[in-house]
Amino acid sequence: MTPNSSSAYVPNEELENKTIVRKYYDLLKVLYHRTTPADRKLIRKAFVLATNAHNGVRRKSGEPYIYHPIEVAMICCEEMNLGTTSVVCALLHDVVEDTEYTLEDIREIFGDTVAEIIDGLTKISDLVIDNKNISLQAENYKKIFLSMLKDVRVILIKLADRLHNMRTLDSMPPEKQLKIASETSFFYVPFAHRLGLYSIKSELEDYAMRYTNPTEYYAIADRLKETEEQRETLIQDFVKPIVEELNKEGIQVEVSSRTKSVYSIHQKMIRKNIPFDDIYDIFAVRFVFDSPESEEFEICWRIYKVVCLLYQTNPSRDRNFLMHPKANGYQSLHVTAMSKAGRWVEVQIRSKRMDVIAEKGLAAHYRYKEENEEANVTDTDVSDKLEDWLSKTREILNSKDADALEFLKEVRLNLELKEIYVFTPKGDMKTLPAGSTVLDFAYLLHTNLGDHCIGAKVNYNIVPVDKELRNGDQVEVITSKKQMPKLEWIEVVRTPKARRSIRDFFRNEQKQMNISGEQMLREYFSQLGVEYNEENLQKIMTATLKKSPEEFWNDIVTHKITKDRVQKILSMKNPKEMAEFQKKVSEEIANKSLDQLIEEQLNETPNVFMLDDDYEQIKYVLADCCNPLPGDQVVGFQVADNRIVIHQTSCRHAIEQMSKFGNRIIKTKWRKGQDIAFLSGIRITGFDRKGMIKEIVDVVSSQMDLNIRLLNIESKNNVFTGTMMLYIQSVRALTNLIDKLKAIDQVEKVERI
Ligand code: MN
């Protein structure tokens, strides 16, 4: 099939009316067993209202508009297992937006719940994918999310709406097709995935690809068609002995096989850079059995055993989602076996109950408070999980500090759900989003573990807190009482929970700091017999040149502003005295010697190991062959007595060591925003002339405000070479300096040494 293959539609009202009625009865048929007469009356009311409201209106295809809401309602009940309220809302979903009916009309006729859902659906107007104005776009999404999260049914009906629009996208003009297709993959696919609506997700992906990447799409689709027969035979040959063996054991199974979607085959071809023919897991065979819930696991393992006895399997591809369902509720046992034809086949083993979740998602098990509606399976664990996710997402939305962009990132992460499975030392499996680090794992276990985490043993190797975890890792968190959360951890973690915990910590810490600071200052005031009031407080803040209250309270608590000083300030009578005092303070700030600063900073760990003396004494040294600076790409090497030597990654010695002692390499990163100067060398060559040195010193000290440690000038045959050691903050400052020096007349070359 190719796009735009639909031939022109010829309206025929008589036939159309018959079709409308037939579609309506089809819908009722599917719904019948889960509705009461009262429900059906309500559905009829919605159907009649929608049919009248959309009367005379046609879709782009030429068909009567009402086909669309009925199909959407059908998807809701047939493919998502939703009930009366959802079907009513699906029938009415375009009424408020496109016809003269108002939300109040709907509320009057159908009540608050339906009106709220319709309101949510109406607010999700056209999305515009606009990469240029991402922040506006993010605001837009935020609004949409807000209305979607009112009720999970809003999301589900919206997905059904989108699915039907994708199925009928052929009749849209090409530019619209592209827009709708890309917003489908950007926005709706992650939602479908998150809600575990696997078949809807794959269908959306395939449709989107058909329009955004038609060449590749049809190439793969055609190959799938060509190989269909061959696959059929292979599956039958593979399945037959298994079923026979199972029957002997008295286990009845339903066998179905599903081919990987075009989209996922394409993804795999790109990811592994392989041609179509090399993808071995093009299809999966599924064994579904019916049993009481208490026997499910046992039967799964019995089937597993049969497969393993009959075929050679690849244990590294075994997946056990029985004990540990995926976050979207998916439960199944997977084993990959080699068929007699020499192809790997993925076998999925699960009960009917698990299969419903796998196919129709968490939503299928979500127990709505819909009146008179027969709940499907009341799996509280599953509905808790969905509720949990909804409330987490709402929480992100309601957090004050998240700006729209950050919010978008978090919600998308929350939706993407590529997961890894890692293990505690005791072998408990935990699920984390892909890309999670040691810190995420620590925070997942307990906030306390996260707050005091200094690293971990991953598969018995010591790693820093920012180490990214991989599927199957066994992780033992290492903590130290002395460790406290660091601000840069926000960049290290990827789970919202960890990020929130770190933020909370700093919020609380600052709050504590403010409280203690104020207590101390009140104490000083009362000891000095001075009234604690706004005016006096302001006087001290002004005198000490503090920019923020936070800084001020910190200085009080750390005794940088002492009682004596407070006394002195309070005793000052006139502005002149104040001005002099301020001058003194600013000099103090400026004069703090760089050596002192460096020493202070070096006593802290300047990189990401965060391993402190509670665990192992690890000290680092900056290699003097390349003098790395903050901002440089660096690498660390473990040397004797647990010291780590930091080199620039481009350093000759480092490269040599890396090739020889690969196992001693330690990933090293500079702590962000650190205010610390490092000793660095520069060599300047040029033609000697009068005033040259003065100009150089001028650039360094006056213009760049850098502190020269050592300056050595040699002049020979009119050519001078200057070697200079100076304290510098970052690579950026150094590059800047080099540029300025190069600009000096008759300077030929400036290089870092
Ligand atoms: Mn619609």
Side-chain angles (χ1 to χ4, degrees):
M1 199 164 74
T2 52
N4 298 316
S5 64
S6 52
S7 47
Y9 180 86
V10 186
N12 174 340
E13 260 184 61
E14 207 189 312
L15 195 75
E16 282 165 357
N17 286 338
K18 273 186 193 155
T19 311
I20 294 170
V21 173
R22 183 182 48 78
K23 279 177 188 282
Y24 172 65
Y25 280 110
D26 284 348
L27 178 70
L28 278 187
K29 219 193 282 166
V30 178
L31 265 169
Y32 201 84
H33 70 281
R34 55 181 115 132
T35 49
T36 62
D39 289 335
R40 293 194 286 273
K41 216 171 142 191
L42 204 63
I43 292 166
R44 185 180 175 84
K45 219 193 240 175
F47 166 71
V48 171
L49 190 148
T51 312
N52 289 332
H54 294 297
N55 189 26
V57 183
R58 292 185 178 274
R59 304 195 81 206
K60 274 270 172 340
S61 60
E63 291 173 337
Y65 196 88
I66 188 67
Y67 284 13
H68 168 66
I70 300 176
E71 292 294 344
V72 174
M74 192 67 161
I75 293 171
C76 284
C77 72
E78 202 173 35
E79 294 176 53
M80 295 176 172
N81 273 18
L82 298 177
T84 305
T85 306
S86 305
V87 167
V88 166
C89 292
L91 287 169
L92 299 172
H93 82 271
D94 280 330
V95 160
V96 172
E97 199 173 326
D98 297 343
T99 76
E100 301 203 321
Y101 281 90
T102 65
L103 195 62
E104 286 323 301
D105 298 334
I106 300 293
R107 194 183 303 276
E108 224 163 86
I109 307 169
F110 296 95
D112 285 340
T113 312
V114 170
E116 287 305 303
I117 295 173
I118 300 286
D119 186 36
L121 286 163
T122 308
K123 282 191 179 132
I124 312 167
S125 50
D126 258 17
L127 296 166
V128 188
I129 302 273
D130 179 359
N131 292 326
K132 280 178 215 122
N133 198 343
I134 186 83
S135 70
L136 192 82
Q137 187 58 25
E139 276 299 339
N140 199 5
Y141 281 128
K142 193 166 173 173
K143 277 185 211 135
I144 292 163
F145 273 114
L146 263 167
S147 46
M148 281 179 115
L149 290 172
K150 266 188 183 169
D151 188 310
V152 72
R153 285 170 290 192
V154 176
I155 312 176
L156 295 167
I157 297 165
K158 196 65 207 171
L159 279 170
D161 180 29
R162 177 49 58 123
L163 182 58
H164 185 246
N165 285 335
M166 290 304 285
R167 284 176 181 169
T168 53
L169 198 56
D170 266 359
S171 45
M172 284 289 186
E175 72 284 356
K176 273 236 161 138
Q177 288 175 345
L178 214 58
K179 180 188 153 251
I180 293 171
S182 40
E183 75 187 27
T184 296
S185 48
F186 182 76
F187 194 76
Y188 292 99
V189 165
F191 262 114
H193 182 42
R194 190 56 187 80
L195 293 170
L197 297 157
Y198 279 106
S199 26
I200 289 178
K201 176 197 163 230
S202 319
E203 199 181 333
L204 287 174
E205 277 171 342
D206 271 14
Y207 273 119
M209 185 182 167
R210 189 189 283 193
Y211 293 96
T212 53
N213 193 352
T215 323
E216 307 262 349
Y217 178 85
Y218 288 103
I220 295 170
D222 291 348
R223 284 293 283 143
L224 277 177
K225 251 213 169 103
E226 283 164 35
T227 50
E228 200 177 324
E229 214 171 295
Q230 189 191 330
R231 268 200 316 276
E232 272 300 305
T233 327
L234 194 148
I235 293 167
Q236 275 171 20
D237 293 349
F238 176 81
V239 162
K240 211 174 147 215
I242 301 177
V243 173
E244 282 171 6
E245 197 55 41
L246 287 176
N247 287 344
K248 269 188 224 160
E249 290 204 21
I251 301 172
Q252 298 297 322
V253 284
E254 257 173 54
V255 185
S256 60
S257 70
R258 198 161 69 188
T259 308
K260 242 187 165 59
S261 71
V262 172
Y263 175 83
S264 60
I265 291 174
H266 185 239
Q267 285 303 103
K268 194 151 196 173
M269 285 164 67
I270 296 173
R271 207 169 50 238
K272 304 215 155 163
N273 193 20
I274 49 175
F276 179 89
D277 290 317
D278 288 358
I279 296 183
Y280 59 81
D281 53 351
I282 276 190
F283 52 84
V285 180
R286 186 174 308 150
F287 293 96
V288 180
F289 57 87
D290 204 358
S291 86
E293 210 172 318
S294 58
E295 286 164 36
E296 282 176 340
F297 286 10
E298 198 204 316
I299 299 175
C300 280
W301 288 111
R302 280 169 68 193
I303 299 174
Y304 172 88
K305 198 175 129 198
V306 167
V307 175
C308 291
L309 287 173
L310 286 167
Y311 294 101
Q312 191 202 324
T313 64
N314 179 351
S316 74
R317 291 183 56 86
D318 280 5
R319 295 287 178 268
N320 179 359
F321 300 113
L322 295 178
M323 303 291 286
H324 308 281
K326 290 188 188 181
N328 54 19
Y330 183 88
Q331 235 181 341
S332 191
L333 181 62
H334 295 185
V335 51
T336 303
M338 176 69 82
S339 73
K340 297 281 185 262
R343 300 279 284 195
W344 288 107
V345 179
E346 184 180 286
V347 181
Q348 303 175 346
I349 305 165
R350 56 192 182 228
S351 69
K352 271 217 166 102
R353 182 189 65 86
M354 298 173 192
D355 197 48
V356 172
I357 307 180
E359 287 294 301
K360 296 181 179 169
L362 280 183
H365 277 203
Y366 189 61
R367 216 181 346 162
Y368 296 117
K369 294 163 208 101
E370 292 187 341
E371 241 178 296
N372 298 326
E373 186 164 348
E374 185 193 315
N376 235 313
V377 182
T378 53
D379 191 330
T380 43
D381 187 40
V382 168
S383 55
D384 280 355
K385 271 187 173 158
L386 184 58
E387 209 32 78
D388 196 37
W389 172 70
L390 280 171
S391 67
K392 256 190 220 152
T393 315
R394 281 190 207 110
E395 210 177 299
I396 301 172
L397 268 166
N398 292 327
S399 65
K400 283 189 197 103
D401 55 14
D403 72 3
L405 263 181
E406 194 184 335
F407 152 80
L408 182 63
K409 208 168 103 193
E410 275 201 21
V411 173
R412 293 240 335 143
L413 280 181
N414 217 1
L415 283 173
E416 265 171 20
L417 207 89
K418 275 199 181 120
E419 292 174 324
I420 53 165
Y421 305 93
V422 294
F423 299 90
T424 66
K426 283 183 183 157
D428 287 338
M429 187 164 93
K430 300 281 169 194
T431 314
L432 282 166
S436 292
T437 58
V438 165
L439 268 181
D440 288 299
F441 182 74
Y443 275 109
L444 175 73
L445 297 181
H446 199 280
T447 311
N448 250 330
L449 278 182
D451 282 351
H452 299 296
C453 178
I454 55 172
K457 274 193 201 166
V458 171
N459 311 326
Y460 306 107
N461 292 318
I462 296 168
V463 300
V465 290
D466 68 340
K467 173 79 178 173
E468 196 176 312
L469 297 175
R470 296 204 180 167
N471 236 339
D473 277 348
Q474 191 180 50
V475 189
E476 181 184 347
V477 175
I478 304 166
T479 58
S480 156
K481 271 182 225 136
K482 284 189 193 166
Q483 178 74 307
M484 288 295 165
K486 314 250 185 292
L487 261 176
E488 61 266 26
W489 283 8
I490 303 258
E491 304 290 320
V492 169
V493 297
R494 100 161 267 195
T495 50
K497 180 184 193 302
R499 200 169 306 145
R500 239 189 330 272
S501 304
I502 297 166
R503 286 224 178 92
D504 285 350
F505 174 86
F506 282 104
R507 241 177 249 140
N508 289 336
E509 194 189 41
Q510 189 58 54
K511 231 187 262 163
Q512 281 309 316
M513 191 71 101
N514 295 353
I515 292 168
S516 329
E518 192 179 333
Q519 271 170 356
M520 281 169 74
L521 194 64
R522 275 179 188 276
E523 187 67 17
Y524 293 164
F525 274 53
S526 83
Q527 283 168 7
L528 296 168
V530 185
E531 196 196 336
Y532 187 87
N533 60 24
E534 191 56 38
E535 191 189 338
N536 284 331
L537 192 62
Q538 203 52 54
K539 196 171 175 185
I540 297 171
M541 277 191 75
T542 316
T544 50
L545 300 170
K546 289 299 160 231
K547 286 186 203 85
S548 69
E550 285 77 24
E551 206 187 341
F552 178 67
W553 297 121
N554 286 359
D555 278 8
I556 300 258
V557 172
T558 55
H559 298 283
K560 280 179 189 143
I561 299 174
T562 59
K563 187 176 139 196
D564 288 351
R565 187 153 268 202
V566 171
Q567 187 173 19
K568 177 134 200 261
I569 297 167
L570 290 173
S571 70
M572 292 189 304
K573 294 275 169 327
N574 53 50
K576 202 184 145 209
E577 255 181 293
M578 174 67 103
E580 261 167 37
F581 186 86
Q582 284 178 329
K583 199 175 157 221
K584 215 178 101 202
V585 171
S586 74
E587 272 167 14
E588 260 172 37
I589 296 168
N591 276 353
K592 194 166 195 186
S593 87
L594 274 168
D595 289 299
Q596 211 181 323
L597 266 178
I598 289 168
E599 200 164 310
E600 266 175 29
Q601 296 287 341
L602 283 184
N603 283 332
E604 286 181 35
T605 353
N607 50 43
V608 291
F609 315 127
M610 314 284 181
L611 293 168
D612 71 8
D613 49 11
D614 260 20
Y615 187 66
E616 269 183 53
Q617 187 80 25
I618 295 188
K619 284 265 157 71
Y620 77 99
V621 222
L622 299 173
D624 47 20
C625 49
C626 53
N627 285 317
L629 284 178
D632 277 333
Q633 294 273 10
V634 284
V635 60
F637 290 95
Q638 209 168 349
V639 295
D641 57 67
N642 268 338
R643 279 184 325 152
I644 291 167
V645 182
I646 313 289
H647 289 266
Q648 288 193 49
T649 43
S650 58
C651 168
R652 253 186 321 121
H653 296 282
I655 293 167
E656 197 190 5
Q657 289 210 40
M658 279 192 264
S659 56
K660 279 191 196 153
F661 310 112
N663 56 335
R664 296 198 199 147
I665 297 175
I666 289 169
K667 198 180 144 220
T668 315
K669 260 201 310 214
W670 297 105
R671 192 192 283 180
K672 272 189 193 127
Q674 72 182 351
D675 190 16
I676 167 175
F678 284 82
L679 199 57
S680 179
I682 278 184
R683 183 183 296 122
I684 312 167
T685 33
F687 298 102
D688 210 354
R689 66 170 164 84
K690 221 178 162 185
M692 175 68 103
I693 296 175
K694 191 185 169 293
E695 264 191 68
I696 292 173
V697 173
D698 220 48
V699 166
V700 178
S701 331
S702 313
Q703 286 188 40
M704 296 286 297
D705 199 19
L706 293 168
N707 206 343
I708 302 181
R709 193 71 197 272
L710 185 140
L711 180 62
N712 196 352
I713 307 271
E714 278 176 49
S715 189
K716 220 177 175 182
N717 300 333
N718 215 23
V719 173
F720 90 95
T721 309
T723 320
M724 189 168 26
M725 298 303 285
L726 37 79
Y727 284 113
I728 200 144
Q729 245 95 13
S730 68
V731 175
R732 218 161 88 220
L734 186 64
T735 325
N736 201 349
L737 172 68
I738 290 176
D739 287 343
K740 284 208 163 127
L741 289 173
K742 275 184 182 161
I744 295 174
D745 192 18
Q746 297 202 9
V747 164
E748 285 299 308
K749 206 166 143 192
V750 184
E751 58 191 329
R752 193 168 153 191
I753 46 171

